[in-house]
């Protein structure tokens, strides 16, 4: 069931989204060669608590494996859900997906960015740029009267035009009093998929995962980390976006 948020609820979701954006900014500043992914996780958790919010991912248990961290850090061929570790240091040339969510006064915010550590290959830069463009192409279609398929097709077309593939096994989602709500927001569309019309008050987490090679993935033995089956690069961007009477409102972006 898709829930529509009231003006008061949207005001709280704006604050949740702002906290997510501020903490992501802190993480981007801290993400330098030599820092470990566990240290980044600690920065995320401290930044969250300092702002009176709770980490959204910590303790999350959508299937039989609990997620024990505040942040997902997905490096190079890792697509999403990379688990922070004391033994994993960032290095020059890595591309690093930072995926982070909070709850604030009962409402969730969720966003992700992929960044380059020092100089990276031109091909890695292009993948990052196209994935960000795919997110913003999807957001541009997040308008009342459109359907989920308009977002999905815009994301997919942007990625595939550039010669990349979209991941089909994970999708974006509604967001509100829970991290994951209806509707699903896939990054591709086929006839027969659920395709609700977008209405003012819906809030969607739109999150393209774009692979340099094929769309196939594997899950590592930790039960979380998704990597590309061909071990080529992958990038991920996400925003929490409110559907309005007019232009989409990006809740997880500072303005
Ligand atoms: N942004 C990701 C998502 O919406 C975060 C996953 S939460 C985790 O699915 F707890 F599963 F890591
Ligand atoms: Co999400």
């Amino acid at each position: 069931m898709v829930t529509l948020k009231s003006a008061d609820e949207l005001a709280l979701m704006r604050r949740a989204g702002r906290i997510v954006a501020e903490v992501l900014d802190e993480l981007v500043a801290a993400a330098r060669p030599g820092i470990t992914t566990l240290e980044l996780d600690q920065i995320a958790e401290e930044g969250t608590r300092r702002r009176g919010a709770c980490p959204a991912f910590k303790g999350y248990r959508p299937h039989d494996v609990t997620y024990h961290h505040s942040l997902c850090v997905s490096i190079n061929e890792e697509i999403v859900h990379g688990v922070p570790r004391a033994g994993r240091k960032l290095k020059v040339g890595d591309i690093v997906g930072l995926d982070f969510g909070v709850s604030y006064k009962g409402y969730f915010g969720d966003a992700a960015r992929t960044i380059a550590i020092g100089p990276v290959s031109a091909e890695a830069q292009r993948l990052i740029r196209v994935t960000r463009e795919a997110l913003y192409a999807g957001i541009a279609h997040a308008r009342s009267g459109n359907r989920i398929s308009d977002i999905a097709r815009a994301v997919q077309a942007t990625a595939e035009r550039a010669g990349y593939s979209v991941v089909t096994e994970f999708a974006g989602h509604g967001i509100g009093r829970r991290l994951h709500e209806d509707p699903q927001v896939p990054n591709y569309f086929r006839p027969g998929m659920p395709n609700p019309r977008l209405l003012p008050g819906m809030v969607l987490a739109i999150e393209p995962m774009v692979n340099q090679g094929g769309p196939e993935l594997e899950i590592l033995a930790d039960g979380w980390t998704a990597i590309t089956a061909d071990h080529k690069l992958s990038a991920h961007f996400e925003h929490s976006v409110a559907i309005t009477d007019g232009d989409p409102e990006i809740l997880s972006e500072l303005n």
Side-chain angles (χ1 to χ4, degrees):
M1 194 197 60
V2 177
T3 60
L4 303 182
K5 279 74 184 178
S6 68
D8 287 351
E9 290 180 296
L10 279 174
L12 290 173
M13 294 196 72
R14 249 174 229 122
R15 294 174 72 176
R18 160 169 286 275
I19 293 168
V20 171
E22 289 175 355
V23 172
L24 277 171
D25 279 349
E26 292 184 4
L27 291 167
V28 170
R32 308 186 68 90
I35 194 165
T36 71
T37 58
L38 190 64
E39 287 168 333
L40 289 173
D41 182 69
Q42 287 157 355
I43 291 168
E45 174 151 8
E46 283 164 20
T48 304
R49 307 269 184 218
R50 206 185 321 125
R51 291 171 173 85
C54 296
F57 303 168
K58 202 167 190 167
Y60 189 67
R61 194 174 190 275
H63 45 288
D64 52 350
V65 198
T66 303
Y67 198 77
H68 294 293
H69 295 87
S70 301
L71 179 70
C72 300
V73 189
S74 305
I75 304 174
N76 298 334
E77 76 281 4
E78 296 171 358
I79 301 169
V80 285
H81 304 165
V83 180
R85 286 194 285 123
R88 187 74 196 260
K89 284 192 164 99
L90 304 190
K91 60 181 197 315
V92 171
D94 284 341
I95 66 167
V96 179
L98 301 166
D99 184 359
F100 178 63
V102 305
S103 68
Y104 181 75
K105 296 187 192 285
Y107 288 87
F108 284 81
D110 186 9
R113 302 179 198 165
T114 299
I115 60 168
I117 306 303
V120 302
S121 68
E123 189 40 42
Q125 286 176 43
R126 189 174 79 97
L127 176 67
I128 291 173
R129 176 171 50 76
V130 168
T131 308
R132 190 192 304 104
E133 286 170 0
L135 170 60
Y136 282 87
I139 291 171
H141 288 81
R143 302 185 72 89
S144 175
N146 282 356
R147 291 185 181 271
I148 288 291
S149 56
D150 294 298
I151 297 172
R153 287 199 173 104
V155 167
Q156 180 177 22
T158 304
E160 291 183 353
R161 247 191 339 252
Y164 299 138
S165 62
V166 290
V167 171
T168 58
E169 277 156 87
F170 299 106
H173 47 92
I175 183 167
R177 297 185 66 88
R178 287 179 295 123
L179 175 62
H180 293 139
E181 297 185 352
D182 286 341
Q184 280 212 56
V185 186
N187 294 309
Y188 71 105
F189 193 79
R190 299 271 172 279
M193 289 170 64
N195 193 17
R197 203 178 278 284
L198 306 180
L199 294 169
M202 284 184 184
V203 183
L204 304 177
I206 303 172
E207 50 177 318
M209 289 145 268
V210 175
N211 291 356
Q212 189 180 35
E216 299 79 16
L217 62 79
E218 290 166 12
I219 307 292
L220 297 185
D222 60 21
W224 283 102
T225 311
I227 66 163
T228 55
D230 57 16
H231 295 185
K232 293 189 177 181
L233 298 175
S234 186
H236 179 213
F237 280 85
E238 175 176 19
H239 271 310
S240 298
V241 179
I243 312 297
T244 74
D245 287 322
D247 293 336
E249 181 182 353
I250 303 176
L251 304 177
S252 50
E253 185 167 73
L254 302 177
N255 39 30

